[in-house]
Amino acid sequence: MLVFMFAGWTVPQWIVTLITPFANANAFAAMAMIGLMMEIPDNHKDRSELGKVIAWRFLFSIIIALSAWLLLPLDERVQEIVVLAAFAPVTIFSTKFTDSLTGNAKLAGFSLTVTAIIGLTFMTILHAVLPVA
């Protein structure tokens, strides 16, 4: 697609029409995969691990966001994009990767869901309050 973009080529409308249902199914497939690999932690060890994941994830998100906003010598709009990206949800494939390493995929799926909800909330709030919005 990058080659198409730089060359100035466009995808014919009939191809776009043909692949649109498959493209729309991607979000459903990702959510189904999370749902199948998700379980609310039922013991103290898992809840403790979940707390650590959330704490580390958002500690580094805050550090990256503050560094981007205060230190990057870029346009404010670009700084806002980096700040929002720091809180963006992690990829669905992390759950599958955890499962392939015989880790606790159900806990990884639940932590993905929790961090996605928190991250999207932070992103929405930051976009509303940052001065370049």
Side-chain angles (χ1 to χ4, degrees):
M1 293 311 295
L2 287 174
V3 172
F4 274 40
M5 183 183 75
F6 288 126
W9 299 334
T10 58
V11 177
Q13 186 59 37
W14 68 270
I15 292 177
V16 173
T17 303
L18 180 69
I19 65 171
T20 297
F22 299 105
N24 291 339
N26 186 34
F28 172 76
M31 292 301 109
M33 187 174 174
I34 293 172
L36 292 172
M37 301 182 93
M38 186 180 86
E39 187 174 288
I40 297 174
D42 59 352
N43 60 46
H44 179 69
K45 181 180 177 276
D46 286 347
R47 286 191 297 270
S48 174
E49 288 296 317
L50 177 64
K52 287 181 200 175
V53 167
I54 293 170
W56 282 110
R57 165 88 167 100
F58 290 104
L59 173 67
F60 278 96
S61 293
I62 290 168
I63 290 170
I64 291 167
L66 286 173
S67 298
W69 190 257
L70 299 174
L71 301 176
L72 284 181
L74 300 171
D75 180 59
E76 282 186 340
R77 178 62 77 191
V78 176
Q79 287 176 320
E80 179 187 13
I81 291 168
V82 175
V83 167
L84 295 178
F87 288 96
V90 294
T91 177
I92 178 61
F93 296 111
S94 62
T95 308
K96 180 62 180 153
F97 182 69
T98 301
D99 188 42
S100 68
L101 295 177
T102 65
N104 189 344
K106 294 189 183 295
L107 184 60
F110 187 72
S111 68
L112 172 65
T113 303
V114 171
T115 56
I117 292 169
I118 295 170
L120 291 172
T121 303
F122 269 92
M123 290 172 73
T124 303
I125 292 168
L126 286 170
H127 182 65
V129 300
L130 287 176
V132 294

